[in-house]
Amino acid sequence: MADSAVIQQGSPAIGAAGSVPAAPGAGGTEGSGAAGGSARIAVKKAQLRSSPRPKKLEKLGVYSSCKAEGACKCNGWKSQNPPPTPPRTDQQSNTVNLQEPCRSCSHTLGDHVTHLENVSEEEMNRLLGIVLDVEYLYTCVHKEEDADTKQVYFSLFKLLRKSILQMGKPMLEAQESPPFEKPSIEQGVNNFVQYKFSHLPSKERQTIVELAKMFLNQINYWQLETPSQRRLRVPNDDAAGYKANYTRWLCYCNVPQFCDSLPRYETTQIFGRTLLRSVFTVMRKQLLEQARQEKDKLPPEKRTLILTHFPKFLSMLEEEVYSHSSPIWSQDFLAGASGGQIPIHTVIAAPPVARPLYYSTSPVSVDTSNCGSVSPARKAASVLESNPVEKRKASEPLSHEENKRPRVVGDIPMELINEVMSTITDPAAIPETNLLSAHSARDEAARIEERRGVIEFHVIGNSLNQKPNKRILMWLVGLQNVFSHQLPRMPKEYITRLVFDPKHKTLSLIKDGRVIGGICFRMFPSQGFTEIVFCAVTSNEQVKGYGTHLMNHLKEYHIKHEILNFLTYADEYAIGYFKKQGFSKDIKVSKAKYVGYIKDYEGATLMGCELNPSIPYTEFSVIIKKQKEIIKKLIERKQAQIRKVYPGLSCFKEGVRQIPIECIPGIRETGWKPVGKGKEMKDPDQLYSTLKTILQHVKSHQNAWPFMEPVKKTEAPGYYQEIRFPMDLKTMSERLKSRYYTTRKLFMADMQRIFTNCREYNLPESEYYKCANLLEKFFYTKIKEAGLIEK
């Protein structure tokens, strides 16, 4: 699976070298067999999460301190009859007795889990995931022989253990948070491609981009050597510096691939030239050696690319990596002669980060608005900073290989989509939108100005422990003036206090070097939301789309920081603006999470907004515009096909009273299909009840475990490049709860999609493929029993 996954990411595979993540404790330079270990952990988590609630309580009780009266110091329930090692499935009992005493403190299991009585299933499943990660790290600690690695595993083990006891989210406590060096490896390789190959024709340049993607992919899945191994190989190297980077890599990149309760980052996005220098020579040698050994196994179309072009690419990159005067590692790379910033065209992106709570589209080529990037995680201390806001990367177009895959019934042919897209992407074929037109997006003018460098967006904040930056302080004063002028009801002293408060940040809108607007906010990462305090644009710059574009940049910034909820108190004049930005009075954040954290205002309305991490907000209106054009072209093509005029029906003159619809000439050419046989329930409540029962039966089936939740990118690399319309039982449950399934056909189509996707991605002899077949047979049995289709 690993080799094909590399190709699907847009990066030609070189055998298996460095392409599979190594399991913690595996040792060595390459991660052999790691994918299987990760899959086994995922299977265990799925099975545990589908267990009855008493079984879950028993599992969590082992890691929960005793709550009995008398200040019991027992930190975990221990069974009187511990299971054998390894546990035998035939001897496991499904019955759990909450009155069973603890072998350590003699208090019951119930005394250890009283704090879990009112906990939701979702929260309990999250804690169970941490439990399995704790058990896995415990095994790693005992198997690992390297002292440095063992110490890191043990620290992470204690961190997760503490998270279970406190029912909190694991937060790594470190002096520094990602990114650890700027520019990152990914940005440096982007700069290298721009610096050396921007003059090439489009086709040749695309070849270089493919090589760069492949190189980044290899680094992201490369297994670093331990500090002790490196000391033996390079005695005179900076041992302390390498050990620090190795520890960070374990905590933020390697271990989270298997313990998904920890936040994970890509190596290429949080490390810079220092780490690249320490691995480049060894990595280059091993990759090229692997390519020579496996040249006969490479596909013909990849052989020239890997054996001829890749070595030259690595040699040129090596010069820039070790050169002390290379411009690609400068923060000011591509800066204009006047000192102002011009947009960087990001041509490469590493494979997507697998986030623990949600799934996003694969990042690819986009045009970013400014130099620099916003880090994936906030620094622990408030700093005086200016982060140029970088747009997230949008979805990658399907490659030629992906277009050859079997179609799913109901999809529009990819050949037709590509043909239409070729006209849409041609600038001459796209009608120019007048900015004054009613069809123009609110933020279109602002987006054009940003692209031209007329306006800039920066996240800035004050600091009490760093030397003041004069430019940032001037911007903060400008923001204080804008907010005071545009929000006359707010006391100026209050505005000044919050704008200059180190705990607050402000997304500032800069035009001609001066502040013309901004959004002041405070992030509460532990509570999962951000409070928007002030939002204003100076009066003579309003009605230009700046407010919408400001909010879209703020949404992008928070998605990068994995905060997906906004809260704000809006006065009567601001409610309309916030509604247009996706806010509503229906607050998705539970009251317990924000009460006592946010400021309360009299006469204002509390509004909230939930972000979707799959949406590139700053380009959303452009995407919608292109989608409208595609649909318009498809409709035009369809109309051209059915414009044939058929003669009228003469059968009625001969006494025929009625004929089947399908007998009407030309009716099938319009796309009409006969209605499938089966009972369609008219009562929505009856339909909901029937579908809920069927879905519960399916989820309880012994072969449903692979389909319980969305596929994780860490477990199946390249899955979301190959499967265009993913579906799972958790998503179906959410859709059913929201009354999405208004007909049986919608429900059956989603269920069928699960089975089709599984068979399309997996081999026929795989366990997943067999589970799909068995579960599909069971599903249709239940559908027939419910009378939704004829038996």
Side-chain angles (χ1 to χ4, degrees), residues 218-231:
Q218 300 295 333
I219 295 178
N220 281 327
Y221 290 121
W222 198 259
Q223 183 75 4
L224 300 188
E225 59 185 342
T226 63
S228 58
Q229 290 172 334
R230 183 171 178 80
R231 280 194 296 270

Side-chain angles (χ1 to χ4, degrees), residues 334-342 371 456:
L334 290 184
S338 62
Q341 296 174 336
I342 64 175
C371 290
E456 298 175 0

Side-chain angles (χ1 to χ4, degrees), residues 240-265:
Y242 181 80
K243 182 178 178 180
N245 275 336
Y246 176 77
T247 302
R248 293 164 176 166
W249 171 78
L250 277 176
C251 292
Y252 290 99
C253 305
N254 183 252
V255 175
Q257 293 183 60
F258 303 87
C259 301
D260 59 5
S261 52
L262 291 167
R264 183 192 166 218
Y265 302 92

Side-chain angles (χ1 to χ4, degrees), residues 82 502 504 544 627 659 686:
H504 287 72
K544 294 183 180 180
Q627 288 179 343
I659 62 171
Q686 184 184 359

Side-chain angles (χ1 to χ4, degrees), residues 324-336:
H324 294 288
S325 58
S326 173
I328 70 171
W329 302 104
S330 170
Q331 291 276 16
D332 301 323
F333 183 77
L334 290 184

